[in-house]
Amino acid sequence: MGMLLRYGIAGLALFSVWILLLPLGILRAFIIRDLWSWFIVPLGVPEISVLHAFGIGLFATLFVDQMLTIQMMRKDDKDALRLFLNGIAGWLATWGLGAIVASMM
């Protein structure tokens, strides 16, 4: 019974991470798609869908989002939360700035 409880808690933790990260991945996909449409498509490259952008975001994560993982492994919850929120704020700021620049083009 103890082993079942332990695996159940681990499964619930993994599921809760997906509940949080999937919407953020979708948000990032919309940001990537919009930035691509604003700045890359005018250069003659085809448009991409949100699913393509989601894949590009996953690919980029392999190389970029390592600091948050390191902070979480150190159990430095305060720094990990700060890095996580700063990352989301950076995405939103980039999206907004991109919209402003695209409207000037």
Side-chain angles (χ1 to χ4, degrees), residues 42-76:
L43 300 175
V45 178
E47 287 196 32
I48 60 171
S49 69
V50 172
L51 290 176
H52 287 111
F54 190 84
I56 291 170
L58 288 175
F59 184 73
T61 300
L62 292 173
F63 305 104
V64 183
D65 291 341
Q66 300 305 315
M67 285 307 295
L68 180 59
T69 305
I70 291 167
Q71 294 298 332
M72 291 174 78
M73 288 174 62
R74 288 184 186 162
K75 301 290 184 196
D76 195 349

Side-chain angles (χ1 to χ4, degrees), residues 24-99:
L24 290 175
I26 293 169
L27 170 65
R28 184 172 58 178
F30 277 98
I31 293 169
I32 292 169
R33 188 225 29 211
D34 287 348
L35 291 172
W36 187 280
S37 295
W38 295 334
F39 301 112
I40 305 298
V41 170
L43 300 175
V45 178
E47 287 196 32
I48 60 171
S49 69
V50 172
L51 290 176
H52 287 111
F54 190 84
I56 291 170
L58 288 175
F59 184 73
T61 300
L62 292 173
F63 305 104
V64 183
D65 291 341
Q66 300 305 315
M67 285 307 295
L68 180 59
T69 305
I70 291 167
Q71 294 298 332
M72 291 174 78
M73 288 174 62
R74 288 184 186 162
K75 301 290 184 196
D76 195 349
D77 295 335
K78 198 175 201 180
D79 275 350
L81 180 62
R82 183 181 53 79
L83 280 171
F84 181 70
L85 294 176
N86 282 345
I88 294 170
W91 296 351
L92 295 174
T94 301
W95 199 12
L97 184 60

Side-chain angles (χ1 to χ4, degrees), residues 5-19:
L5 182 63
R6 185 177 351 159
Y7 285 121
I9 291 172
L12 183 62
L14 185 60
F15 180 72
S16 65
V17 166
W18 272 101
I19 293 297

